[in-house]
Amino acid sequence: MILFISETDLLENSFIEENIDVKILGTAVKLVQNIQVKEILGKSLYNDFYQEYSNTFTGSTLSQQYQDLHSHIKEFMIHATIVEFMVFNQYKITKKGTLTMRDSLSSALGIPDFENAKNNFESYRSYYKDQLMRFVKDNKLNDRIEDVNIDLGGADSFGWFLDY
């Protein structure tokens, strides 16, 4: 699977530190792309963009419109990945159950602080989602979307709900 953002994109453009579990980060990126980006773009536009983007690895270049679309996708994915990564990085599922992960030299956020931080990053994700949706709509790419209703009035939420 070809991802629309790289580990470098994330580390250079977010608050995620360099010393992280890349497996967890990669899983978060894949989920954001496969679920959230695909939902925003719709199946046809997603598949068209994916094919064109894939061709860039063999020497092709994206059209200006797809370069601009990629910029919007990238910003959205960076911020959506932070939200997903926060949860995935906090917990580990093992044969002993679900464990809370903590670095021995740091202290974990309490639930209220964790939720506040997550909500803060969620607001950025929502902003960039709206920007991506506006770009799709303003550039009339939405005529290729069969299965997504673009509603710029609010933001959807993905991820886990922690109820304590």
Side-chain angles (χ1 to χ4, degrees), residues 2 49-62:
I2 295 176
F49 180 78
Y50 186 91
Q51 185 61 49
E52 291 296 317
Y53 187 75
S54 299
N55 291 340
T56 65
F57 293 96
T58 60
S60 297
T61 57
L62 291 174

Side-chain angles (χ1 to χ4, degrees), residues 58-118:
T58 60
S60 297
T61 57
L62 291 174
S63 68
Q64 185 60 51
Q65 189 173 47
Y66 272 7
Q67 287 177 35
D68 294 343
L69 177 60
H70 182 247
S71 294
H72 284 82
I73 289 171
K74 191 170 157 180
E75 284 296 332
F76 169 74
M77 286 186 67
I78 287 168
H79 293 87
T81 299
I82 291 171
V83 174
E84 298 300 330
F85 182 74
M86 284 183 70
V87 176
F88 295 147
N89 196 50
Q90 185 74 18
Y91 302 99
K92 183 173 184 178
I93 301 171
T94 70
K95 64 183 177 181
K96 295 180 181 181
T98 304
L99 308 174
T100 301
M101 302 306 298
R102 290 191 173 81
D103 186 15
S104 61
L105 300 176
S106 63
S107 61
L109 290 177
I111 296 300
D113 291 333
F114 179 82
E115 285 299 319
N116 286 337
K118 185 174 176 275

